[in-house]
Amino acid sequence: MQKDTLSQFDDALALCRNIFEKKLRDYGASWRILRPRSVTDQLYIKAKRIRTLEEGEAMVDEGILGEFMAIVNYGLIGLIQLERGYADEADMSADEAMESYDIRAAEARSLMAAKTHDYGDAWRGMRVNSYTDFILTKLQRVKEIEGNSGRTLVSEGIDSNYLDIINYAVFGIVKLTEGEDK
């Protein structure tokens, strides 16, 4: 029996959170020095890597699943950085970083719930490579907004795009971990 979308979101996020927490122990909150544009570029690198893997063979033995998990984590880092601004050093304890992570993850989950209500489970009929393309499109939009000093006329802001990126990456994780689209 297939789980519901929010349960699958929770399972996928638990995988990402576990990695984030372990890396936090290894490196501390070193990501606090990243300016928002650098987070966007890191997300772009991860999404381009997925596209490369989808189109051919890898020379480095790392898979698409790990890259989608990194996109979720960097997306959440991006939301934290937008809220708090960047720092000159790691200025958050592991507990503070995890608390901020969980708050932003709950925000992404809430958006997922609202969109699931409105769109149903349309994402299930999509292919994983479409999530990659949508993530890359959202990143291009973020770069444009960043180029306009964060101002938009009628469009959603950077934070909304990061939330969508996180949720598309979660869809990819769900499909890949459940064997729906390898």
Side-chain angles (χ1 to χ4, degrees), residues 28-110:
S30 59
W31 46 267
R32 286 287 296 131
I33 67 168
L34 292 171
R35 291 173 285 186
R37 287 175 180 235
S38 297
V39 176
T40 300
D41 286 344
Q42 186 63 30
L43 286 162
Y44 178 77
I45 288 166
K46 297 297 182 182
K48 285 294 282 187
R49 171 109 167 93
I50 292 170
R51 184 180 260 185
T52 299
L53 292 171
E54 290 170 344
E55 296 298 318
E57 285 191 33
M59 296 190 75
V60 177
D61 188 25
E62 296 173 351
I64 293 171
L65 179 62
E67 299 295 349
F68 274 125
M69 288 190 280
I71 287 173
V72 169
N73 286 338
Y74 277 109
L76 292 168
I77 286 169
L79 291 171
I80 295 166
Q81 296 298 81
L82 286 173
E83 176 191 20
R84 295 180 64 122
Y86 63 92
D88 290 329
E89 58 187 43
D91 63 349
M92 294 176 81
S93 69
D95 288 341
E96 288 175 303
M98 291 310 301
E99 181 180 339
S100 291
Y101 182 97
D102 290 339
I103 289 167
R104 295 297 159 227
E107 189 177 343
R109 187 183 192 279
S110 178

Side-chain angles (χ1 to χ4, degrees), residues 88-144:
D88 290 329
E89 58 187 43
D91 63 349
M92 294 176 81
S93 69
D95 288 341
E96 288 175 303
M98 291 310 301
E99 181 180 339
S100 291
Y101 182 97
D102 290 339
I103 289 167
R104 295 297 159 227
E107 189 177 343
R109 187 183 192 279
S110 178
L111 177 64
M112 170 88 70
K115 288 193 174 186
T116 297
H117 176 270
D118 291 352
Y119 294 97
D121 283 336
W123 66 272
R124 293 186 191 281
M126 296 170 59
R127 293 170 281 234
V128 171
N129 64 354
S130 292
Y131 307 142
T132 306
D133 291 348
F134 289 155
I135 289 168
L136 286 165
T137 300
K138 293 282 183 180
L139 287 167
Q140 186 61 45
R141 291 176 182 175
V142 168
K143 286 181 179 187
E144 292 291 328

